[in-house]
Amino acid sequence: MNIQPFKIAISQADLDNFRDRLARTRWPNQLPGVGWSRGVPVEYLKDLAEYWRTDYDWHRHEAKLNEFPQYTTEIDGQNIHFLHVRSPEPDALPLILTHGWPSSPVEFLKVIGPLTNPSAHGGNPTDAFHVVIPSLPGYGFSAPVRKVGWGNLFRVAQAWVELMSRLGYERYAVQGTDVGSGVALILGMIDAQRVVGMHLTGTGLPPFGPSVELEGLSEADRARGERFNAFQADGTGYLQIQATRPQTLAYSLNDSPVGQLAWIVEKFQAWTDPAALLPEDAVDRDQLLTNVSIYWFTGSGASSANAMYEGMQAFRAMVAQQSQGSVAQQSEQSGPPTGVAVFATDNTIRSLFDPGNRISHWSEFDRGGHFPAMEVPDLLVSDVQAFFSKLR
C-alpha cells in the first residue's frame, strides 16, 4: 500500500538519442495528390518532426508537468503512475479521470485548474473536485507492464478501486474518455456503493459491430451515423493491427520517433473538431507533442498496443456473453447515474447507445472532438460540473 512521490526526469542521453533519431529519419516517398487520405502526408510530418527536434522544449514541459503532484504505487504487481491534485476547497468531491488511446494524463492538463479551484477560474467553489488522474497500465509512466492481462478494463477498474481506497476516498466521482469511458462504466458496476456517478466522453458504437441503419434518424444523428459507417469502412486500420498483431507493430513504434509521431498525429487529425484542418488547429501543438514525447520516452507505444490487444479480446468475450441491450443501459439499471457529453466529431447516437433513455444527463455540443479536455476544456469542465452538482 506504499505510495511514493514521483517526478519525471528524462535523461540528457535519452534526449540526445531522440533528437539524433529524428535527424536520421529515412523518409518514404508519397504519391502526388493523396493528401491525408492514405495517412499523414510526408511534408506535413517533416515540418512537425523538425519542430519537435529543434524548437520544442521538452525540459520546459517536463517542468510544467512536475508542477502537479505525482505519485506511483504498486497494485496487483503493476506500477501505477498518477497525478493527485487536491482542491483548496475542504468539501471538494474526489474525481478520478481516465484517459484513453492515444493519450495520457497530459490530455487533462487544461482542466485540472478549473476542476480543483473553480473560484480562481470564474466558477463556483461548490463545484470543486479533488482530482486523481492515473496513467493506464502500459501507458506513460505506468509502463512497463509486467504481466499479461492489464489490457482488460475490468482489471484496470479493480485497480482504480484500490487506488481510491489507498487515497482514503470513501465516496468519489468518475470521468472517462475513449477507453477510459469503459473503465468509468465498470467502476459504476463494481464499486457502486462509493461511486456517485460516471461522466463519459469519447463514447461510440462497437467498431466491429453492424453498420448504422440511417433510415428514421434525425438530421444530426444521421450525420453521426454516416461518420460511424465511414469510420468502420476506412478508419479502423489502427485498431485491427493493434488488436491482432501488436508485437509486430511494436518494433516500429519503439525504434522510430517519427513512426510514433505519425501513429498518434493521424488520430488527432481524424478525430478532432471537423472545423480544424490540421491537428494544431484543434489542439495546442506543444501539448500534443508532450503527449507523443511521453509515449516515446517510456516506450509505451508498444505496451499500449499490447493493452489494446488484450482489451479487444476481453471486449469480444463480453459481447459474446451479453444479452441484447447496451452496456450503458445495463450500467444505468444497476449502478449510479450516468452522464454523457457528445462533441462535434463524435458518432455517439443516443437512440442506439441509450435505447431505454435511462441516462440521466445527456449533452451535445457543436464544437470539439474526441479530445475535449484538450480542444474545448471550457465545455468539458462546465458539463462535468453540471452533472455532478446534483450528486454531491
Side-chain angles (χ1 to χ4, degrees):
M1 297 189 58
N2 195 19
I3 294 176
Q4 296 289 337
F6 177 83
K7 290 285 187 182
I8 302 170
I10 302 303
S11 71
Q12 188 60 47
D14 284 343
L15 281 167
D16 291 343
N17 177 275
F18 154 72
R19 292 182 178 126
D20 178 62
R21 286 171 182 263
L22 282 174
R24 293 186 296 107
T25 299
R26 184 172 178 240
W27 294 99
N29 294 322
Q30 180 173 335
L31 293 171
V34 298
W36 286 82
S37 65
R38 303 189 185 193
V40 186
V42 171
E43 291 306 316
Y44 172 83
L45 199 63
K46 281 184 177 180
D47 288 344
L48 185 60
E50 183 64 9
Y51 173 82
W52 196 20
R53 185 180 73 86
T54 59
D55 294 332
Y56 171 80
D57 186 347
W58 165 257
H59 287 302
R60 182 169 70 87
H61 292 286
E62 180 182 72
K64 184 177 178 181
L65 286 168
N66 283 333
E67 291 175 1
F68 298 104
Q70 299 174 64
Y71 305 88
T72 60
T73 191
E74 186 174 300
I75 300 176
D76 194 18
Q78 175 61 37
N79 182 66
I80 301 296
H81 162 262
F82 62 99
L83 281 65
H84 184 202
V85 185
R86 289 187 58 84
S87 170
E89 303 297 335
D91 296 327
L93 177 67
L95 170 67
I96 185 167
L97 300 104
T98 306
H99 65 86
W101 184 90
S103 196
S104 69
V106 168
E107 179 173 354
F108 295 112
L109 294 183
K110 290 184 177 180
V111 302
I112 293 174
L115 288 174
T116 58
N117 193 3
S119 59
H121 295 81
N124 191 327
T126 61
D127 289 327
F129 296 93
H130 301 305
V131 167
V132 179
I133 311 175
S135 298
L136 287 165
Y139 291 71
F141 299 100
S142 289
V145 175
R146 297 169 184 167
K147 299 177 183 177
V148 298
W150 278 104
N152 187 321
L153 300 188
F154 281 90
R155 189 174 186 183
V156 174
Q158 289 169 337
W160 281 195
V161 171
E162 175 61 21
L163 176 60
M164 296 304 275
S165 294
R166 292 185 187 186
L167 294 174
Y169 293 135
E170 298 179 358
R171 184 171 177 271
Y172 63 96
V174 176
Q175 203 285 327
T177 188
D178 186 79
V179 170
S181 67
V183 177
L185 283 171
I186 295 167
L187 279 169
M189 298 176 192
I190 67 174
D191 203 21
Q193 297 303 310
R194 294 199 296 160
V195 171
V196 302
M198 301 89 69
H199 184 277
L200 314 178
T201 56
T203 54
L205 300 170
F208 300 135
S211 298
V212 172
E213 174 55 57
L214 304 177
E215 188 68 29
L217 294 177
S218 68
E219 182 179 353
D221 282 345
R222 185 182 183 90
R224 295 185 183 101
E226 289 172 346
R227 279 199 302 272
F228 175 77
N229 291 347
F231 166 73
Q232 258 195 335
D234 191 49
T236 60
Y238 78 98
L239 185 58
Q240 297 279 3
I241 293 172
Q242 294 186 124
T244 57
R245 296 296 183 271
Q247 192 61 33
T248 302
L249 172 68
Y251 302 108
S252 298
L253 297 182
N254 210 59
D255 191 59
S256 169
V258 162
Q260 180 66 83
L261 178 64
W263 193 244
I264 290 178
V265 163
E266 183 202 317
K267 298 311 165 197
F268 276 82
Q269 191 275 334
W271 295 350
T272 48
D273 192 315
L277 296 179
L278 298 173
E280 58 267 34
D281 296 332
V283 301
D284 179 81
R285 180 169 59 173
D286 276 16
Q287 188 179 11
L288 170 58
L289 289 175
T290 299
N291 180 59
V292 181
S293 297
I294 287 175
Y295 273 77
W296 172 254
F297 290 126
T298 61
S300 53
S303 52
S304 64
N306 275 284
M308 188 173 293
Y309 172 90
E310 294 178 353
M312 289 306 301
Q313 295 291 316
F315 175 75
R316 288 186 174 112
M318 180 188 72
V319 169
Q321 294 173 4
Q322 274 184 339
S323 59
Q324 197 169 12
S326 73
V327 173
Q329 180 180 354
Q330 292 171 9
S331 172
E332 183 68 15
Q333 288 176 320
S334 59
T338 302
V340 174
V342 180
F343 295 88
T345 306
D346 292 334
N347 54 39
T348 306
I349 298 172
R350 182 166 192 173
S351 61
L352 302 178
F353 188 81
D354 179 31
N357 200 32
R358 291 181 171 88
I359 290 178
S360 58
H361 174 99
W362 189 281
S363 301
E364 296 181 3
F365 300 99
D366 60 5
R367 292 191 291 127
H370 195 68
F371 308 96
M374 297 173 73
E375 299 179 66
V376 284
D378 55 330
L379 296 183
L380 178 61
V381 167
S382 63
D383 203 66
V384 168
Q385 290 172 337
F387 173 61
F388 287 112
S389 66
K390 303 171 185 176
L391 304 175
R392 290 176 176 270

